Amino acid sequence: MKKLLDFFFGTVTFEINSTDAEKALNILHGNMIYMKKMPKKDCEKFSFTVAKSNRRKAECLLDKSGIKVYSIRRRGLPFAVMKYKKRYGIFVGFAIFCFLLYLSQQIVWEIDFSGNENISDIEVERQLLEVGFGVGSYIPNVDFYTLSNEFIMSSDDFSFISVNMEGTKAHVELRERKKKDEKTEYAASNIVAKYGGIIESMTVYSGQTVIEKESVVKEGDLLVSGFVEKTSGFDIVRSQGSVYAYVTREFEVEIPFEKNVKKYTGKGQNNIDLIFFGRKFNLKKGIDGSFEAYDEYTDVERLVLFDRIKLPLVLSKTTAKEYEANKGILNENEAKKQAEKEMSRILADELFDSEILERKTTEEITEKSYKLKCSIYCISDIACEKEILLSQKTDNKN
Amino acid sequence: MKNIIYRTLSSLSEKTELPLTDICREFAIHTTGRREVIIEGADNLKKYETNEIIIGVCGGYISVFGNGLEIKSFQKYSLCIRGDINRIEFGEGGQK
């Protein structure tokens, strides 16, 4: 610690004749100049060190007492600074360095997300950028309370957000919004048949069943009634349950041989923006809207120094690629593959909860298109809830 | 004269059991093993050699004998000596 203080405040070492050592020390001590580092060597010279602030006084006293000073060595930061007094660039550079260091602590360098299970970090970061917060944002300008409110109001995916700053790293805690079942809840309803078929089994939670197992029903037939008979009168309830039946379902996919194909011309234009301090600075504006038809892509990349240090700078590159809409002709194989792919997708959507018993596929090729027909014999839930509309009856008293 | 005053004040301090350290500036010695000695109440330096250092104190002097003796610091009322210390002697009166 003493060495550190000596370095910061500066020290001066005097070298005098050994024979004058005691006299010099007593004179200085008597004038309240305190000394350190006084090695007595068995030689002609004797040195001692005083603080920089006492240098002139010490020199004056030694001079007055006739003690010859052989050399003076100056050590410490004050002397080093004086040496470069006229080198303004060093001081300006140092000041700029200190300023940049201070400034770098006022911006967000990194964001860490937690609580988002179904939404990716990139998507959350994009949503945060829309409300004005991201890597490179100026922290003193961010009102975190307003930011949280604006984010919740603008986002459909999250019901809670908390942004906490730890130095220059932002910790974002999120809670995803639980989406309500889209099924409408009716006050009173019947269950009717979605498709025609033979009843295989029923699971009814509420309502009165009007059909039996192995009954043949057609589309629209009543399966479970919302009117439940009681000993005195009846109740009107919401019918709930599942009714499984053997049904035959038909699906058809048609793929025309002629279709619009995008053919990229190879021409492209770019816009490059630098996002820093929460603002976009346009570096290059290449997209001028001269293309008749084009696709636009945006790539966002965080700048990294030496492959390790992530800078709070984001480079956004928007590319516009020109294309020509041409008529493309598909051959039979290609159309067939597309049709099969589309059919698989439809079957997966429609029959995800059905047990497929038999499948028949037919294809039909015309001049203009390829048709793929699929007939599926399966056990499927045919229950479809239909609302019972209740109206108030008013008594007209004359 | 100074010695007489010092002795008078010292005996008064003994009898009254009052500390008169500030008035008569009585010296104090703190040693750390045989390698360091701090003398409080040092007035001046009488002799400075690598094997002998004589310090003037109130009422006399203190001689420190040893090898490789070195004064580390000489502050307002304290003086720090380091080295291989063999013995410390007290003496009355003025210069030795």
Side-chain angles (χ1 to χ4, degrees), chain A residues 65-176:
Chain A
S65 56
I67 294 170
K68 189 179 176 183
V69 177
Y70 285 95
S71 72
I72 298 172
R73 282 194 301 271
R74 297 176 182 86
R75 287 198 188 98
L77 187 62
F79 298 113
V81 170
M82 275 166 59
K83 203 172 157 187
Y84 296 101
K85 200 167 54 174
K86 291 191 179 173
R87 302 279 294 267
Y88 303 116
I90 294 174
F91 298 107
V92 170
F94 182 70
I96 292 172
F97 166 76
C98 291
F99 173 71
L100 287 175
L101 194 65
Y102 166 76
L103 196 65
S104 70
Q105 291 174 358
Q106 305 298 310
I107 56 176
V108 178
W109 281 70
E110 208 173 325
I111 304 179
D112 170 42
F113 300 99
S114 65
N116 51 323
E117 292 165 2
N118 300 317
I119 316 291
S120 66
D121 287 356
I122 296 169
E123 176 58 25
V124 182
E125 205 170 337
R126 187 194 63 77
Q127 290 185 21
L128 269 173
L129 262 174
E130 281 174 12
V131 292
F133 183 78
V135 168
S137 293
Y138 186 56
I139 298 171
N141 277 354
V142 177
D143 180 356
F144 291 100
Y145 181 72
T146 309
L147 169 74
S148 301
N149 286 338
E150 282 179 12
F151 182 84
I152 296 298
M153 285 195 302
S154 63
S155 172
D156 294 330
D157 302 316
F158 298 100
S159 58
F160 169 80
I161 184 171
S162 167
V163 181
N164 300 305
M165 292 303 304
E166 190 182 326
T168 55
K169 187 172 179 177
H171 294 281
V172 178
E173 284 179 36
L174 301 150
R175 295 285 180 274
E176 286 182 15

Side-chain angles (χ1 to χ4, degrees), chain A residues 21-23 25-26 29 32-42 46, chain B residues 42-50 69-77:
Chain A
E22 291 85 354
K23 184 181 173 188
L25 292 178
N26 286 329
H29 182 255
M32 309 232 293
I33 295 174
Y34 306 120
M35 298 141 284
K36 41 193 151 185
K37 291 182 196 168
M38 291 169 277
K40 178 78 170 180
K41 292 171 189 169
D42 289 323
F46 169 75
Chain B
D43 282 340
N44 51 37
L45 185 65
K46 294 183 184 302
K47 186 180 181 183
Y48 184 13
E49 299 291 338
T50 52
L69 297 178
E70 185 183 323
I71 295 178
K72 273 293 170 188
S73 64
F74 193 4
Q75 304 295 324
K76 191 175 178 182
Y77 291 124

Side-chain angles (χ1 to χ4, degrees), chain B residues 17-73:
Chain B
E17 292 183 13
L18 289 171
L20 293 173
T21 346
D22 287 334
I23 296 170
C24 65
R25 266 201 295 136
E26 198 164 25
F27 67 88
I29 297 178
H30 305 276
T31 60
T32 306
R34 288 178 63 172
R35 53 184 175 86
E36 188 181 275
V37 161
I38 297 174
I39 298 167
E40 287 176 15
D43 282 340
N44 51 37
L45 185 65
K46 294 183 184 302
K47 186 180 181 183
Y48 184 13
E49 299 291 338
T50 52
N51 55 355
E52 186 187 1
I53 296 176
I54 301 173
I55 304 108
V57 292
C58 181
Y61 59 89
I62 296 171
S63 300
V64 179
F65 298 92
N67 299 317
L69 297 178
E70 185 183 323
I71 295 178
K72 273 293 170 188
S73 64

Side-chain angles (χ1 to χ4, degrees), chain A residues 214-380:
Chain A
E214 293 179 7
S215 299
V216 176
V217 296
K218 59 181 188 304
E219 188 180 335
D221 279 354
L222 182 66
L223 303 175
V224 180
S225 172
F227 289 89
V228 178
E229 280 181 26
K230 289 194 321 186
T231 44
S232 54
F234 56 88
D235 267 341
I236 304 176
V237 299
R238 182 187 168 202
S239 301
Q240 286 177 296
S242 313
V243 179
Y244 287 89
Y246 294 96
V247 297
T248 302
R249 295 188 62 186
E250 308 281 340
F251 301 96
E252 188 179 302
V253 170
E254 186 179 354
I255 303 289
F257 290 121
E258 208 177 85
K259 65 169 190 176
N260 289 331
V261 173
K262 276 185 192 175
K263 190 181 175 186
Y264 290 99
T265 59
K267 290 181 189 172
Q269 290 172 343
N270 292 325
N271 270 356
I272 299 177
D273 298 304
L274 185 70
I275 302 171
F276 182 55
F277 269 118
R279 291 183 188 174
K280 253 189 189 178
F281 299 95
N282 181 243
L283 298 179
K284 180 185 171 187
K285 191 162 185 182
I287 298 175
D288 54 11
S290 58
F291 294 153
E292 274 188 27
Y294 62 92
D295 282 336
E296 204 171 275
Y297 310 94
T298 303
D299 279 324
V300 171
E301 187 191 341
R302 178 107 177 254
L303 294 180
V304 178
L305 206 59
F306 308 122
D307 290 337
R308 279 190 183 187
I309 304 166
K310 290 184 190 175
L311 298 174
L313 298 165
V314 176
L315 205 64
S316 169
K317 190 177 174 183
T318 307
T319 309
K321 282 187 180 175
E322 190 188 28
Y323 66 81
E324 283 172 354
N326 289 333
K327 295 277 178 193
I329 305 288
L330 291 173
N331 62 32
E332 201 178 295
N333 270 339
E334 285 169 354
K336 184 180 175 182
K337 277 185 186 167
Q338 278 195 22
E340 283 170 356
K341 195 175 170 186
E342 182 64 19
M343 182 61 79
S344 300
R345 190 192 65 77
I346 292 170
L347 292 179
D349 280 343
E350 294 288 329
L351 302 174
F352 70 94
D353 63 347
S354 306
E355 185 186 338
I356 298 175
L357 301 171
E358 199 180 321
R359 175 176 170 164
K360 282 181 191 168
T361 309
T362 51
E363 54 183 35
E364 186 185 325
I365 302 168
T366 64
E367 269 186 29
K368 292 186 179 178
S369 65
Y370 174 91
K371 281 186 191 172
L372 185 65
K373 291 178 186 174
C374 202
S375 174
I376 305 285
Y377 181 61
C378 60
I379 301 173
S380 189

